[in-house]
Amino acid sequence: MSLKKYNEKLFLDIDQYGYCNNVFYNGQQRPALIYESEIDEVINALGRKKDKIMLEYGCGGSTIIFSQFAKKIYSVETSNFWFEKTKNFLDKNNIKNVNILKNYGSLNENIDRFDVVFIDGTSRAQSLKDLIGNKKIDNETLIFFHDCLKYQS
């Protein structure tokens, strides 16, 4: 295990294969199952100014990581387990720039567009279908698929 520091509160446990197994935020451990290279690509897309709005399908450790770099994250989570687990972690750590939603249809806030989309979770194909024709994405929106070869849904 090696810890990679992103800021004073955020550290990642990276194994010898470049895989992030855990996020440490404010000293609390949270599982994260994502490659360091994926994290870095999304952080590069978000930039360091915290001025980008992100849509995420599937919340968890990645939500904690990306919340440090996004102005706002709207995370759609269909699993009650992950919804509650992540919401409790965010509340306990006073992370206020994440809004977790039970389904995409509940996203009715006044948002012009998403700068970055991160698709995770078990319904990747449906998530992509939800995005097609969506007026909140355009040719400037960067879309990332996590574990795109893992599931066929």
Side-chain angles (χ1 to χ4, degrees):
M1 170 176 103
S2 68
L3 287 179
K4 181 173 183 179
K5 180 180 179 179
Y6 278 88
N7 62 32
E8 294 304 315
K9 293 182 177 183
L10 181 66
F11 294 83
L12 304 182
D13 164 17
I14 308 292
D15 69 16
Q16 73 247 25
Y17 305 107
Y19 200 69
C20 177
N21 293 297
N22 294 291
V23 173
F24 294 91
Y25 184 81
N26 274 344
Q28 295 181 45
Q29 184 177 351
R30 178 80 171 83
L33 306 173
I34 183 171
Y35 280 99
E36 178 183 15
S37 57
E38 291 177 279
I39 294 167
D40 290 341
E41 287 293 324
V42 175
I43 289 173
N44 285 338
L46 290 170
R48 303 282 177 165
K49 296 179 186 175
K50 285 193 90 162
D51 62 349
K52 302 276 193 304
I53 297 177
M54 180 176 187
L55 173 63
E56 175 187 47
Y57 287 94
C59 66
S62 59
T63 310
I64 309 307
I65 297 166
F66 301 142
S67 71
Q68 301 303 295
F69 302 95
K71 177 179 180 179
K72 184 77 174 180
I73 297 177
Y74 296 90
S75 187
V76 179
E77 181 54 69
T78 57
S79 161
N80 286 332
F81 174 81
W82 285 109
F83 181 94
E84 291 301 326
K85 191 169 183 75
T86 305
K87 184 174 181 338
N88 289 339
F89 189 94
L90 295 169
D91 290 345
K92 186 175 183 179
N93 288 281
N94 202 30
I95 298 173
K96 301 286 188 192
N97 64 331
V98 178
N99 186 359
I100 305 177
L101 311 162
K102 287 280 189 179
N103 60 57
Y104 185 78
S106 61
L107 179 62
N108 56 10
E109 296 191 32
N110 188 16
I111 302 162
D112 291 332
R113 67 180 285 278
F114 293 108
D115 301 293
V116 176
V117 177
F118 185 75
I119 299 176
D120 194 1
T122 57
S123 302
R124 288 166 176 78
Q126 185 59 48
S127 299
L128 182 59
K129 288 177 187 174
D130 289 346
L131 285 174
I132 295 173
N134 186 318
K135 293 180 173 42
K136 295 183 186 317
I137 64 168
D138 57 27
N139 61 355
E140 300 284 316
T141 302
L142 294 173
I143 301 173
F144 294 89
F145 287 89
H146 173 62
D147 288 340
C148 65
L149 301 176
K150 185 175 181 180
Y151 302 100
Q152 292 184 9
S153 60

Coordinates of all heavy atoms in Angstrom, one line a residue, residues 55-97:
L55 N -22.1 15.0 -13.5 CA -23.2 14.0 -13.3 C -22.5 12.7 -13.1 O -21.6 12.3 -13.9 CB -24.1 14.0 -14.5 CG -25.2 12.9 -14.5 CD1 -26.1 13.0 -13.4 CD2 -25.9 12.9 -15.9
E56 N -22.9 12.0 -12.1 CA -22.3 10.7 -11.8 C -23.4 9.6 -11.7 O -24.4 9.8 -11.0 CB -21.5 10.8 -10.5 CG -20.9 9.4 -10.0 CD -20.3 9.6 -8.7 OE1 -21.0 10.1 -7.7 OE2 -19.2 9.0 -8.5
Y57 N -23.3 8.5 -12.4 CA -24.2 7.4 -12.2 C -23.5 6.4 -11.3 O -22.5 5.8 -11.8 CB -24.5 6.8 -13.6 CG -25.4 7.6 -14.4 CD1 -24.9 8.5 -15.4 CD2 -26.8 7.5 -14.3 CE1 -25.8 9.2 -16.2 CE2 -27.6 8.2 -15.1 CZ -27.1 9.1 -16.0 OH -28.0 9.8 -16.8
G58 N -24.0 6.1 -10.1 CA -23.4 5.2 -9.2 C -22.4 6.0 -8.2 O -21.4 6.5 -8.6
C59 N -22.9 6.1 -7.0 CA -22.0 6.8 -6.0 C -21.3 5.9 -5.1 O -21.5 4.7 -5.1 CB -22.9 7.7 -5.2 SG -24.1 6.9 -4.1
G60 N -20.2 6.4 -4.5 CA -19.4 5.6 -3.6 C -18.1 6.4 -3.4 O -18.1 7.6 -3.2
G61 N -17.0 5.6 -3.3 CA -15.7 6.2 -3.1 C -15.3 7.3 -4.1 O -14.7 8.3 -3.8
S62 N -15.7 7.1 -5.4 CA -15.4 8.1 -6.4 C -16.1 9.4 -6.1 O -15.5 10.4 -6.4 CB -15.8 7.5 -7.8 OG -17.2 7.2 -7.8
T63 N -17.3 9.3 -5.6 CA -18.0 10.5 -5.2 C -17.2 11.4 -4.2 O -17.1 12.6 -4.4 CB -19.4 10.2 -4.6 OG1 -20.0 9.2 -5.4 CG2 -20.3 11.4 -4.4
I64 N -16.7 10.7 -3.2 CA -15.9 11.4 -2.2 C -14.6 12.1 -2.9 O -14.3 13.2 -2.6 CB -15.4 10.4 -1.1 CG1 -16.5 9.6 -0.5 CG2 -14.6 11.2 0.0 CD1 -17.7 10.3 -0.1
I65 N -14.0 11.3 -3.7 CA -12.8 11.8 -4.4 C -13.1 13.0 -5.3 O -12.6 14.1 -5.1 CB -12.1 10.8 -5.3 CG1 -11.6 9.6 -4.4 CG2 -11.0 11.3 -6.1 CD1 -11.3 8.3 -5.2
F66 N -14.1 12.9 -6.2 CA -14.4 13.9 -7.1 C -15.1 15.1 -6.5 O -15.0 16.2 -7.1 CB -15.3 13.4 -8.3 CG -14.6 12.2 -9.0 CD1 -15.4 11.1 -9.5 CD2 -13.3 12.2 -9.3 CE1 -14.8 10.1 -10.1 CE2 -12.7 11.2 -9.9 CZ -13.4 10.1 -10.4
S67 N -15.7 15.0 -5.3 CA -16.3 16.1 -4.7 C -15.2 17.2 -4.3 O -15.6 18.3 -4.1 CB -17.0 15.7 -3.4 OG -16.1 15.3 -2.4
Q68 N -14.0 16.8 -4.2 CA -12.9 17.7 -3.8 C -12.5 18.6 -5.0 O -11.8 19.6 -4.9 CB -11.7 16.9 -3.3 CG -12.0 16.1 -2.1 CD -12.5 16.9 -1.0 OE1 -11.9 17.8 -0.5 NE2 -13.8 16.7 -0.6
F69 N -13.0 18.2 -6.2 CA -12.6 19.0 -7.4 C -13.7 19.5 -8.2 O -13.5 20.4 -9.1 CB -11.7 18.0 -8.3 CG -10.5 17.5 -7.6 CD1 -10.6 16.2 -7.0 CD2 -9.4 18.2 -7.5 CE1 -9.5 15.7 -6.3 CE2 -8.3 17.7 -6.8 CZ -8.4 16.5 -6.2
A70 N -14.9 19.1 -7.9 CA -16.1 19.6 -8.7 C -16.8 20.7 -7.9 O -16.8 20.7 -6.7 CB -17.1 18.5 -8.9
K71 N -17.4 21.6 -8.6 CA -18.2 22.7 -8.0 C -19.5 22.0 -7.4 O -19.9 22.2 -6.3 CB -18.7 23.7 -9.0 CG -19.6 24.8 -8.5 CD -19.9 25.8 -9.6 CE -20.9 26.8 -9.1 NZ -21.2 27.8 -10.2
K72 N -20.1 21.1 -8.2 CA -21.3 20.4 -7.8 C -21.3 19.0 -8.5 O -21.0 18.9 -9.6 CB -22.5 21.2 -8.2 CG -23.8 20.6 -7.7 CD -24.1 20.8 -6.2 CE -25.5 20.4 -5.8 NZ -25.7 20.6 -4.4
I73 N -21.8 18.0 -7.7 CA -21.9 16.6 -8.3 C -23.4 16.2 -8.1 O -23.9 16.3 -7.0 CB -21.0 15.6 -7.6 CG1 -19.6 15.9 -7.9 CG2 -21.4 14.2 -8.2 CD1 -18.6 15.0 -7.2
Y74 N -24.0 15.8 -9.1 CA -25.3 15.2 -9.0 C -25.1 13.7 -9.3 O -24.7 13.3 -10.4 CB -26.3 15.8 -10.1 CG -26.5 17.2 -9.8 CD1 -25.7 18.2 -10.4 CD2 -27.6 17.6 -9.0 CE1 -25.9 19.5 -10.1 CE2 -27.8 19.0 -8.7 CZ -27.0 19.9 -9.3 OH -27.2 21.2 -9.0
S75 N -25.3 12.9 -8.3 CA -25.1 11.4 -8.4 C -26.4 10.7 -8.3 O -27.1 10.8 -7.4 CB -24.1 11.0 -7.2 OG -23.7 9.7 -7.4
V76 N -26.6 9.9 -9.4 CA -27.8 9.0 -9.5 C -27.4 7.6 -9.0 O -26.5 7.0 -9.5 CB -28.3 9.0 -10.9 CG1 -29.5 8.1 -11.0 CG2 -28.6 10.4 -11.5
E77 N -28.1 7.2 -7.9 CA -27.9 5.9 -7.3 C -29.1 5.1 -7.1 O -30.0 5.6 -6.4 CB -27.1 6.1 -6.0 CG -26.8 4.8 -5.3 CD -26.0 3.8 -6.2 OE1 -24.8 4.1 -6.5 OE2 -26.5 2.8 -6.6
T78 N -29.2 3.9 -7.7 CA -30.5 3.1 -7.6 C -30.4 2.1 -6.5 O -31.4 1.6 -6.0 CB -30.7 2.4 -8.9 OG1 -29.6 1.6 -9.3 CG2 -31.0 3.4 -10.1
S79 N -29.2 1.8 -6.0 CA -29.1 0.9 -4.8 C -29.3 1.6 -3.5 O -28.6 2.6 -3.2 CB -27.6 0.3 -4.8 OG -27.3 -0.3 -3.6
N80 N -30.3 1.2 -2.7 CA -30.5 1.8 -1.4 C -29.3 1.7 -0.5 O -29.0 2.6 0.2 CB -31.7 1.1 -0.7 CG -33.0 1.5 -1.4 OD1 -33.1 2.6 -1.9 ND2 -34.0 0.7 -1.3
F81 N -28.6 0.6 -0.6 CA -27.4 0.4 0.2 C -26.3 1.5 -0.1 O -25.9 2.2 0.9 CB -26.8 -1.0 0.0 CG -25.4 -1.2 0.7 CD1 -25.4 -1.6 2.0 CD2 -24.2 -1.0 0.0 CE1 -24.2 -1.7 2.6 CE2 -23.0 -1.2 0.6 CZ -23.0 -1.6 2.0
W82 N -26.0 1.7 -1.3 CA -24.9 2.7 -1.7 C -25.5 4.1 -1.5 O -24.7 5.0 -1.1 CB -24.4 2.5 -3.1 CG -23.5 1.3 -3.2 CD1 -23.7 0.1 -3.7 CD2 -22.2 1.2 -2.6 NE1 -22.7 -0.7 -3.6 CE2 -21.7 -0.1 -2.9 CE3 -21.4 2.1 -1.9 CZ2 -20.4 -0.5 -2.5 CZ3 -20.1 1.7 -1.5 CH2 -19.7 0.4 -1.8
F83 N -26.7 4.3 -1.7 CA -27.4 5.6 -1.5 C -27.2 6.0 -0.1 O -26.7 7.1 0.2 CB -28.8 5.6 -1.9 CG -29.6 6.9 -1.7 CD1 -29.7 7.7 -2.8 CD2 -30.1 7.2 -0.5 CE1 -30.4 8.9 -2.7 CE2 -30.8 8.5 -0.3 CZ -30.9 9.3 -1.4
E84 N -27.6 5.2 0.9 CA -27.5 5.5 2.3 C -26.1 5.5 2.8 O -25.7 6.5 3.6 CB -28.3 4.4 3.1 CG -29.8 4.5 2.9 CD -30.4 5.9 3.3 OE1 -29.9 6.5 4.2 OE2 -31.4 6.3 2.6
K85 N -25.3 4.6 2.4 CA -23.9 4.6 2.8 C -23.1 5.8 2.4 O -22.4 6.4 3.2 CB -23.2 3.3 2.3 CG -21.8 3.0 2.9 CD -21.4 1.7 2.4 CE -20.1 1.3 3.0 NZ -20.1 0.9 4.4
T86 N -23.3 6.2 1.2 CA -22.6 7.4 0.7 C -23.2 8.7 1.3 O -22.5 9.6 1.7 CB -22.6 7.5 -0.8 OG1 -22.1 6.3 -1.3 CG2 -21.8 8.6 -1.4
K87 N -24.5 8.8 1.4 CA -25.2 10.0 1.9 C -24.7 10.2 3.4 O -24.4 11.3 3.8 CB -26.7 9.8 1.8 CG -27.4 11.1 2.4 CD -28.9 11.0 2.1 CE -29.7 12.2 2.6 NZ -29.1 13.0 3.6
N88 N -24.7 9.1 4.2 CA -24.2 9.2 5.6 C -22.8 9.7 5.7 O -22.5 10.5 6.5 CB -24.4 7.8 6.3 CG -25.9 7.5 6.5 OD1 -26.7 8.3 6.5 ND2 -26.1 6.2 6.7
F89 N -21.9 9.2 4.8 CA -20.5 9.6 4.8 C -20.4 11.1 4.5 O -19.7 11.8 5.1 CB -19.7 8.8 3.8 CG -18.2 9.0 3.9 CD1 -17.5 8.2 4.7 CD2 -17.6 10.1 3.3 CE1 -16.1 8.4 4.9 CE2 -16.3 10.3 3.4 CZ -15.5 9.5 4.2
L90 N -21.2 11.5 3.4 CA -21.1 12.9 3.0 C -21.6 13.8 4.2 O -21.0 14.9 4.5 CB -22.0 13.1 1.8 CG -21.5 12.5 0.5 CD1 -22.6 12.5 -0.6 CD2 -20.2 13.0 0.0
D91 N -22.7 13.4 4.8 CA -23.3 14.2 5.9 C -22.4 14.3 7.1 O -22.1 15.4 7.6 CB -24.7 13.6 6.3 CG -25.8 13.8 5.3 OD1 -25.6 14.6 4.4 OD2 -26.8 13.1 5.4
K92 N -21.8 13.1 7.4 CA -20.9 13.1 8.6 C -19.6 13.9 8.4 O -19.1 14.5 9.3 CB -20.5 11.6 8.8 CG -19.7 11.4 10.0 CD -19.4 9.9 10.2 CE -18.7 9.6 11.5 NZ -18.4 8.2 11.7
N93 N -19.2 14.1 7.1 CA -18.0 14.8 6.8 C -18.3 16.2 6.2 O -17.4 16.9 5.7 CB -17.1 14.0 5.8 CG -16.5 12.9 6.5 OD1 -15.5 13.0 7.2 ND2 -17.0 11.7 6.4
N94 N -19.6 16.6 6.3 CA -20.0 18.0 5.9 C -19.6 18.3 4.5 O -19.1 19.4 4.2 CB -19.4 19.0 6.9 CG -20.1 20.3 6.9 OD1 -21.3 20.3 6.6 ND2 -19.5 21.4 7.1
I95 N -19.7 17.3 3.6 CA -19.5 17.5 2.2 C -20.8 18.0 1.6 O -21.7 17.2 1.5 CB -18.9 16.3 1.5 CG1 -17.5 15.9 2.1 CG2 -18.7 16.5 0.0 CD1 -17.0 14.6 1.7
K96 N -20.9 19.2 1.1 CA -22.1 19.8 0.8 C -22.3 20.0 -0.8 O -23.4 20.4 -1.2 CB -22.2 21.2 1.4 CG -22.2 21.2 2.9 CD -23.4 20.7 3.5 CE -23.4 20.9 5.0 NZ -24.5 20.1 5.6
N97 N -21.3 19.7 -1.5 CA -21.5 19.9 -3.0 C -21.9 18.7 -3.8 O -21.8 18.6 -5.0 CB -20.2 20.5 -3.6 CG -19.0 19.5 -3.5 OD1 -19.0 18.7 -2.6 ND2 -18.1 19.6 -4.4

